[in-house]
Amino acid sequence: MVTLTRARNIGIAAHIDAGKTTVTERILFYTGVTRKMGEVHDGQATMDFMKQEQERGITIASAAISCEWKDHQINIIDTPGHVDFTIEVERSMRVLDSIIAVFCAVGGVEAQSETVWGQADRYRVPRIAFINKMDRAGADFFDVVGQLQERLDASPIPYQIPIGQEEQFKGAIDLVRMVGYTFSDGDVIEGEIPAALLPEAQKWRNNLLEKLSEYDDGIAEAYLEDKPVATELIFKVTRHCVVRSLFTPVFCGAAYQNIGIQPLLDAVVNYLPSPPDKGPVAGHDPDDPEHLHSRAPSASEPFAGLAFKIIHDPYVGQQTFVRTYSGSLKAGDTILNATTGKTERVSRILRIKAKDRVEVSEVGPGDIVALIGMKNTVTGHTLCAVNAPVLLESVRVPDPVIAVKVTPLTRKEEEKLHQALRKLSLEDPSFTVHVEDRSNETIIAGMGELHLEIIVDRMKTEFGVEATIGQPTVQFRETITAEAMDEYKHVKQTGGRGQFAHTILRVEPNPGGGFEFINRIVGGNIPNEFIPPIRRGVEDTLKAGILADYQVVDVRVTLVDGSFHPVDSSEFAFRTCASICFKQAFHKARPMLMEPIMELEIATPDDYIGDIVGDLNRRRGRVLSMRRFRKGSQKIAAEAPLMELFGYATAIRSASSGRANYSMEMSRYAAMPESMQTKVLAEAHKRMKGE
């Protein structure tokens, strides 16, 4: 077992098709974990072990594995690049200490690259960049470095520059040690820098030392006096800066051709942080958010960890993936779920190696393992020592944007269907399931058409449930555009004890602020015990929808006044009263529908730009910018409503003779035009009536 300072918890993250999984496969080969390099295109990749991943040649679920390099243990999580599986990246970012961000030397910084970078920013994850596919036609290392600065504000600093590019790409110059690396059959051959590249190498070496001089007086002094700078000092200062995300070291290679992987592993060891480098994790008291706690990565601290992923395994049951931050945990221990307040018993601890697992008896801080025996723990829950409760930052879950109706082939299959969907929704918080009260239909919702397609495929292959799927529908949102007030008295007398509740509510827009509830009751007009039921009554209505069955968002609700009856008032009466009162006020506040707007990035040859832009305009889209992608090709940044983009893959192939491609991701919700709103609501009401 290596010491904590020699541990690295890293992720491999990037845009789809940048080569993340290929990079990971090469890392596993060169660290001795695998004897054969798995390839994505032939379905043999170690990390893409799900049937759906092998069939489609894409990563769907994040996979964890451990390897060793130069006396360091590296725990790796390979994440998906497709936007439909962004929750996998989100939860991985939350628990990782650092990432390798992979970029295609041809495609550069793409739309999903920006999303991944933003997720790393949100969780303050240190990173290095690896520019892959340097052997491809159109590869341009320095152009991608420029994009890292322009589009990501990454403060990139090349630590290597390429020796050749496109079909002439042979290796890289290490600007720290000022040596050249070339590769033969995957073996590294260290030699002198080619004479023709020496001036360029010296220029970029000076650039590196200039930047490091800003952060260390010793380097500044040596650089100004033209004295040699110790390699170990460069390592030390670089790691200090990477941990604080002050800049991004950049490396290059061609993973598929086995070029550049060993120096990248050296960079992981030399520049990326260990758990002690990252320092204590912050949290707070579960009962008092103002009372802050921290847990240092030490075995002597009380245990604290975060559950970030759930997998249902047919052989061992539910596996709860946990990142441990402090303390130690043994099989058989009882721990506290600080999120729910309930205790859990750890029956087994497994170290995960892609689809394989190794049982261990104890785990310490800074590790990533799977726990067996967790009954009430889901993604984002904090697990900690019973006598030292702490609540850590959870995982941000994106809202679903697309939904379909799912129906079992026979009534006998209905229970089986719901069990499968329940397990799948526990595994994937961005996938939701609900049953419509009015029609008793089961509706599943997710991040895109591919996301739901994979879910339905998994229902069939993993749970043996066949079902018919309806047409996709967009998950619109309801909100208000004006302030309004309403009053409602809920009075029912049916013999015996009646029901009485009286509320006055004011509603107003709260753009981007979600739901906010303010209690302005004074003088005991409504007793304190009835305030939470009033809030719950409003929240029930938010979820159910008012104009149709779409969730209500971004409203501020103020309880202004009301009254109660000492005998007939109850929690149920106030909950019902608040729901009706809120609906009445909502209708007065100029309600409207909001629709999801998708951000598109389209790569197309110049010949097809007119057709593609024309098609976008017909879909209520708009072009945001265009930039030269490579000779004869452009990249179009655009946005369009999701409801207009069903079948877009076929349309863009048709418009460009199959030569254009695109990626899209959720951007924001925006007001829907009134004419469209009338049509959408009419269709929703028909659907709700089961017509």
Side-chain angles (χ1 to χ4, degrees):
M1 182 70 183
V2 298
T3 61
L4 209 50
T5 55
R6 290 179 175 268
R8 302 287 184 271
N9 289 313
I10 70 167
I12 316 282
H15 182 87
I16 193 167
D17 284 339
K20 299 174 303 303
T21 300
T22 305
V23 169
T24 310
E25 292 298 322
R26 298 308 185 263
I27 287 174
L28 298 181
F29 178 79
Y30 289 118
T31 55
V33 173
T34 58
R35 291 197 173 89
K36 178 178 179 288
M37 296 182 204
E39 304 295 359
V40 175
H41 59 81
D42 61 14
Q44 297 302 309
T46 306
M47 304 299 271
D48 287 350
F49 53 84
M50 285 171 61
K51 174 178 175 286
Q52 293 79 7
E53 293 176 315
Q54 293 166 352
E55 288 173 352
R56 290 167 173 81
I58 60 170
T59 302
I60 292 168
S62 53
I65 199 161
S66 297
C67 60
E68 290 194 8
W69 183 254
K70 296 187 176 176
D71 298 325
H72 286 70
Q73 180 177 309
I74 304 173
N75 301 318
I76 303 172
I77 294 182
D78 175 35
T79 63
H82 199 289
V83 66
D84 282 21
F85 311 108
T86 192
I87 181 63
E88 295 291 340
V89 184
E90 189 79 30
R91 57 180 163 199
S92 299
M93 289 289 183
R94 172 62 189 85
V95 299
L96 290 168
D97 291 333
S98 56
I99 62 166
I100 301 171
V102 181
F103 299 89
C104 172
V106 181
V109 175
E110 304 197 56
Q112 186 66 5
S113 312
E114 296 184 53
T115 302
V116 167
W117 202 264
Q119 289 170 311
D121 282 342
R122 178 160 50 248
Y123 295 114
R124 301 172 294 284
V125 183
R127 66 215 83 157
I128 59 177
F130 180 69
I131 299 177
N132 191 27
K133 302 190 178 184
M134 283 297 302
D135 58 321
R136 290 261 309 273
D140 190 332
F141 175 81
F142 294 107
D143 181 55
V144 179
V145 171
Q147 291 180 43
L148 288 173
Q149 180 56 43
E150 290 161 27
R151 300 188 63 183
L152 302 178
D153 196 21
S155 300
I157 300 179
Y159 271 57
Q160 294 174 344
I161 60 171
I163 299 175
Q165 59 186 30
E166 299 183 330
E167 68 272 9
Q168 301 300 317
F169 179 64
K170 295 183 178 64
I173 295 168
D174 179 349
L175 299 173
V176 175
R177 297 176 57 227
M178 286 301 279
V179 295
Y181 293 129
T182 53
F183 296 80
S184 175
D185 295 328
D187 294 327
V188 186
I189 301 165
E190 187 180 308
E192 291 187 3
I193 297 169
L197 292 175
L198 199 52
E200 182 86 347
Q202 195 58 58
K203 180 185 100 173
W204 286 102
R205 158 85 172 182
N206 290 342
N207 174 71
L208 170 61
L209 293 178
E210 270 180 38
K211 294 285 172 53
L212 291 178
S213 297
E214 296 174 19
Y215 304 104
D216 185 82
D217 292 342
I219 292 179
E221 192 177 314
Y223 177 62
L224 290 171
E225 295 175 8
D226 207 20
K227 291 179 180 175
V229 180
T231 299
E232 288 303 320
L233 180 59
I234 293 177
F235 289 170
K236 178 185 167 190
V237 175
T238 299
R239 182 183 294 173
H240 171 87
C241 292
V242 168
V243 171
R244 289 155 185 78
S245 299
L246 299 173
F247 60 72
T248 307
V250 185
F251 303 85
C252 63
Y256 187 62
Q257 301 296 342
N258 310 320
I259 297 176
I261 299 302
Q262 297 93 326
L264 181 64
L265 281 163
D266 289 341
V268 167
V269 165
N270 293 328
Y271 304 132
L272 292 181
S274 66
D277 289 329
K278 283 297 292 288
V281 65
H284 62 80
D285 192 298
D287 299 320
D288 181 7
E290 301 299 314
H291 189 191
L292 303 180
H293 293 296
S294 66
R295 293 283 187 271
S298 163
S300 61
E301 291 260 323
F303 172 72
L306 187 81
F308 68 97
K309 186 177 172 77
I310 305 290
I311 288 181
H312 286 90
D313 187 285
Y315 302 105
V316 297
Q318 179 174 305
Q319 297 179 21
T320 304
F321 280 66
V322 172
R323 161 68 199 265
T324 62
Y325 287 99
S326 64
S328 60
L329 183 67
K330 294 178 181 173
D333 282 357
T334 296
I335 53 177
L336 174 70
N337 181 325
T339 311
T340 63
K342 296 178 179 176
T343 56
E344 297 266 32
R345 186 178 176 278
V346 181
S347 59
R348 295 165 67 196
I349 303 173
L350 305 177
R351 196 175 296 286
I352 303 299
K353 298 202 171 182
K355 64 181 176 182
D356 300 319
R357 48 193 173 259
V358 178
E359 189 159 348
V360 294
S361 58
E362 185 176 0
V363 65
D367 221 329
I368 293 173
V369 292
L371 306 184
I372 308 297
M374 305 293 100
K375 291 186 170 59
N376 300 298
T377 299
V378 298
T379 296
H381 283 186
T382 299
L383 299 171
C384 59
V386 176
N387 58 356
V390 64
L391 196 58
L392 306 177
E393 180 187 0
S394 189
V395 178
R396 177 181 167 274
V397 179
D399 287 332
V401 294
I402 190 170
V404 296
K405 179 175 76 173
V406 56
T407 312
L409 293 185
T410 65
R411 289 297 296 273
K412 279 187 355 187
E413 293 268 273
E414 198 158 340
E415 181 55 33
K416 205 172 165 188
L417 170 78
H418 285 122
Q419 281 180 3
L421 291 175
R422 191 161 55 247
K423 286 180 178 177
L424 289 168
S425 64
L426 273 175
E427 286 187 16
D428 181 353
S430 67
F431 166 67
T432 63
V433 185
H434 74 276
V435 178
E436 287 285 1
D437 291 336
R438 303 172 183 91
S439 60
N440 203 33
E441 292 174 338
T442 302
I443 307 295
I444 60 174
M447 301 306 297
E449 290 178 90
L450 178 62
H451 187 195
L452 295 183
E453 186 186 315
I454 298 293
I455 291 286
V456 171
D457 197 354
R458 289 187 63 195
M459 272 169 32
K460 182 179 174 182
T461 56
E462 293 176 30
F463 298 95
V465 179
E466 296 266 11
T468 57
I469 307 300
Q471 288 300 309
T473 58
V474 178
Q475 293 290 85
F476 300 107
R477 296 287 184 264
E478 303 176 17
T479 193
I480 54 175
T481 58
E483 186 179 316
M485 190 180 289
D486 211 299
E487 175 177 10
Y488 180 69
K489 272 187 182 172
H490 181 67
V491 183
K492 280 199 174 177
Q493 198 66 49
T494 52
R497 185 175 172 179
Q499 291 182 35
F500 180 91
H502 172 213
T503 57
I504 301 173
L505 297 178
R506 182 173 68 243
V507 299
E508 56 192 307
N510 190 24
F515 168 59
E516 195 178 332
F517 182 82
I518 299 168
N519 175 23
R520 291 272 186 261
I521 294 295
V522 291
N525 286 359
I526 299 177
N528 282 338
E529 66 262 28
F530 294 136
I531 305 301
I534 291 171
R535 178 179 180 133
R536 282 199 296 275
V538 173
E539 287 175 332
D540 291 345
T541 313
L542 293 175
K543 288 176 192 162
I546 297 171
L547 298 177
D549 54 353
Y550 305 119
Q551 187 181 339
V552 178
V553 296
D554 294 348
V555 291
R556 182 181 293 114
V557 179
T558 304
L559 176 59
V560 178
D561 204 354
S563 59
F564 76 106
H565 187 280
V567 176
D568 291 346
S569 286
S570 64
E571 289 191 2
F572 175 77
F574 270 102
R575 193 167 178 169
T576 306
C577 177
S579 175
I580 295 168
C581 189
F582 175 58
K583 284 179 187 174
Q584 292 176 174
F586 185 90
H587 280 296
K588 289 181 180 177
R590 293 210 304 271
M592 70 170 183
L593 285 185
M594 297 176 77
E595 60 181 339
I597 304 294
M598 308 303 285
E599 202 172 86
L600 293 132
E601 186 168 81
I602 304 161
T604 175
D606 291 343
D607 297 349
Y608 306 107
I609 286 173
D611 290 340
I612 285 171
V613 171
D615 181 60
L616 272 174
N617 291 337
R618 285 190 292 276
R619 295 172 183 271
R620 294 193 289 129
R622 68 187 186 103
V623 173
L624 302 175
S625 66
M626 292 173 68
R627 63 184 175 89
R628 179 67 53 197
F629 169 38
R630 62 168 85 101
K631 191 175 178 184
S633 293
Q634 299 268 0
K635 273 199 176 169
I636 302 170
E639 60 179 26
L642 175 61
M643 69 181 292
E644 307 289 353
L645 292 172
F646 291 131
Y648 190 59
T650 305
I652 200 170
R653 276 198 299 270
S654 174
S656 66
S657 302
R659 293 179 62 198
N661 59 70
Y662 77 101
S663 62
M664 73 174 178
E665 60 181 307
M666 172 69 179
S667 171
R668 68 188 195 284
Y669 276 89
M672 180 184 286
E674 206 165 316
S675 57
M676 296 296 303
Q677 181 168 307
T678 305
K679 182 182 168 190
V680 166
L681 286 175
E683 288 174 358
H685 293 149
K686 270 188 185 177
R687 173 172 47 77
M688 288 156 63
K689 289 175 185 172
E691 293 177 15

